[in-house]
Amino acid sequence: MEGLRARLVGFGAAMLAVGLWIHLSPAAAYERQTEPALEAKAPGAVGDYRFVPGLGTPGCSYKMDYKTYRILKPYGIVARVYESGAKSFDVVLVASQNRGSFHDPRVCFTAQGWSLDEERLDSMQTPTRGTIPFTVVRMTGPRDSLAMYFYRGPQGFCANVIQLKLAMFKERLTGGKNVDGVFYRIIPNYEGATVDDLKAFASEYLAAASESSGGYF
């Protein structure tokens, strides 16, 4: 019991020291992105799929509502629809260096009128980015649909927002400069889409996004 108490005291003291060090250290200068810069980095095409610009929004297909921007406070949000024949995919990117910008993804889903009914973890093998973990969800709203979401942080891809925030915190704590995080959300805009269809598009998307963004996306 005494040993456990000593370990807890030691852990608490260490966390206090880290907190004081962060609080007293001068704020590091990190490179910041802007929404136009993010739009320039996002791919214009994904295989046979082409980005469909919106009316008055040449860098995206549509804009998220003001409430979403106010809650998340990101660098920016890039919402693009990629279309090929009768099929299309809706892709949303949210980027920020602020851990508070990454919340429960229901914020983005509900902003577009969706309700999440079922969630599970999965993963996909990609030829250019390795194994990517993601969360697949079944939703109701404008129609019944599947969706996937995942994150990229300083230590690579993850399916869990807690892992992302820990990676961003660790990067700052160790003096790293790669502190940005990115949220990816993909929804198929056609009937009958499967998880395999999502994986196939997402794999192509990540390859195209890596090339167009110089590795940022």
Side-chain angles (χ1 to χ4, degrees):
M1 194 65 182
E2 288 299 324
L4 176 60
R5 185 178 292 110
R7 286 195 295 273
L8 288 173
V9 170
F11 177 77
M15 293 304 294
L16 178 61
V18 168
L20 286 172
W21 177 76
I22 293 173
H23 179 71
L24 296 175
S25 297
Y30 298 108
E31 181 183 357
R32 295 182 60 83
Q33 301 289 330
T34 64
E35 189 163 89
L38 295 174
E39 290 173 346
K41 286 178 167 61
V46 179
D48 294 332
Y49 290 84
R50 296 293 182 269
F51 156 51
V52 182
L55 292 175
T57 57
C60 57
S61 299
Y62 60 90
K63 287 286 188 180
M64 287 290 182
D65 61 19
Y66 170 74
K67 180 180 178 182
T68 302
Y69 280 90
R70 180 171 55 82
I71 292 172
L72 299 182
K73 298 181 177 66
Y75 290 145
I77 302 173
V78 182
R80 288 188 172 180
V81 174
Y82 294 86
E83 189 175 89
S84 176
K87 295 183 177 181
S88 65
F89 288 86
D90 184 326
V91 181
V92 169
L93 302 170
V94 180
S96 181
Q97 65 179 212
N98 177 13
R99 296 189 302 277
S101 297
F102 301 100
H103 291 277
D104 186 317
R106 286 175 179 82
V107 172
C108 286
F109 284 111
T110 56
Q112 295 182 276
W114 297 99
S115 296
L116 276 63
D117 298 332
E118 185 182 322
E119 300 181 52
R120 66 178 175 84
L121 295 177
D122 204 334
S123 64
M124 57 184 170
Q125 299 292 330
T126 68
T128 60
R129 312 297 286 273
T131 302
I132 308 295
F134 67 91
T135 300
V136 61
V137 300
R138 292 190 179 276
M139 310 181 301
T140 55
R143 66 183 187 282
D144 292 348
S145 183
L146 288 170
M148 66 156 54
Y149 68 84
F150 51 95
Y151 306 85
R152 186 198 58 75
Q155 296 173 6
F157 290 93
C158 56
N160 186 303
V161 70
I162 295 175
Q163 293 175 327
L164 172 68
K165 290 185 176 186
L166 286 174
M168 293 172 74
F169 174 74
K170 181 178 178 181
E171 184 74 3
R172 288 176 181 268
L173 188 63
T174 56
K177 296 297 184 182
N178 178 27
V179 298
D180 286 8
V182 179
F183 169 73
Y184 304 73
R185 189 275 282 144
I186 304 174
I187 299 176
N189 281 339
Y190 62 94
E191 297 291 336
T194 66
V195 175
D196 284 341
D197 294 331
L198 274 171
K199 289 181 178 181
F201 177 81
S203 179
E204 280 196 290
Y205 180 85
L206 288 171
S210 179
E211 182 175 352
S212 66
S213 67
Y216 185 84
F217 287 136

